[in-house]
C-alpha cells in the first residue's frame, strides 16, 4: 500500500493499516480497507486519485456494507452505460447517468 501511495500517486502520507476484505483467492478483485494516520492524509490521497486514471484501481470513500451492496448491484448497469458511450458518475453508492445536460440518478431495482 505504501508503494502505491508514494510511487503511483506521488503522495507522502502515512498508512497505519491496510486490510484486505476478501479472501486471498479473490484478492485480485478485492477491496482493501486503509486507515491513515491523519484525516488530512486521507484527503491528500483522495485529491491525488486522478493519478490512478487508466489503471484498474478505484477508490471509494467510507462506504457502509449496505452502500457497497447497492454499488455492486448497479455495477453491471454502469458497465453497460459505459460500453454504449453514455457518461456516468458515482456519488457514494449511487450511479448517475447523463441525460441531456444533467446527471440523473439511475435507480437499481430491489435495493
Amino acid at each position: 500500500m505504501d508503494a502505491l501511495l508514494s510511487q503511483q500517486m506521488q503522495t507522502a502520507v502515512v498508512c497505519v493499516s491496510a486490510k484486505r476484505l476478501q479472501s486471498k483467492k479473490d484478492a485480485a478483485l478485492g477491496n482493501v480497507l486503509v486507515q491513515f494516520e491523519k484525516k488530512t492524509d486521507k484527503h491528500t490521497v483522495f485529491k491525488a486519485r486522478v493519478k490512478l486514471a487508466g489503471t484498474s484501481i478505484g477508490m471509494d470513500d467510507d462506504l457502509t456494507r449496505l452502500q457497497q451492496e447497492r454499488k455492486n448491484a448497479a455495477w453491471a448497469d454502469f458497465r453497460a452505460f459505459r460500453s454504449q458511450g453514455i457518461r456516468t458518475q458515482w456519488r457514494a453508492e449511487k450511479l448517475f447517468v447523463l441525460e441531456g445536460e444533467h446527471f440523473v440518478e439511475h435507480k437499481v431495482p430491489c435495493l
Side-chain angles (χ1 to χ4, degrees), residues 13 36 38-48 61:
V13 298
F36 296 102
K38 297 180 264 178
K39 189 82 164 173
T40 55
D41 289 347
K42 176 185 161 189
H43 295 300
T44 300
V45 169
F46 270 83
K47 285 181 184 177
D61 185 25

Side-chain angles (χ1 to χ4, degrees), residues 60-71:
D60 283 327
D61 185 25
D62 300 330
L63 296 181
T64 65
R65 170 103 29 219
L66 180 59
Q67 288 173 318
Q68 290 175 1
E69 290 171 3
R70 287 178 180 160
K71 187 167 185 175

Side-chain angles (χ1 to χ4, degrees), residues 86-89 96-104:
I86 299 171
R87 288 185 53 200
T88 59
Q89 62 179 227
F96 286 78
V97 179
L98 185 64
E99 291 184 6
E101 295 181 11
H102 303 284
F103 282 94
V104 177

Side-chain angles (χ1 to χ4, degrees), residues 7-75:
Q7 295 171 2
Q8 181 78 23
M9 298 182 75
Q10 301 169 353
T11 60
V13 298
V14 177
C15 174
V16 175
S17 69
K19 179 183 175 188
R20 188 174 308 279
L21 300 178
Q22 278 81 16
S23 66
K24 284 196 172 213
K25 183 173 73 173
D26 301 327
L29 303 173
N31 296 327
V32 177
L33 181 64
V34 179
Q35 181 181 3
F36 296 102
E37 186 175 59
K38 297 180 264 178
K39 189 82 164 173
T40 55
D41 289 347
K42 176 185 161 189
H43 295 300
T44 300
V45 169
F46 270 83
K47 285 181 184 177
R49 70 181 171 182
V50 297
K51 295 177 182 167
L52 295 174
T55 69
S56 61
I57 301 170
M59 297 175 70
D60 283 327
D61 185 25
D62 300 330
L63 296 181
T64 65
R65 170 103 29 219
L66 180 59
Q67 288 173 318
Q68 290 175 1
E69 290 171 3
R70 287 178 180 160
K71 187 167 185 175
N72 289 340
W75 198 253

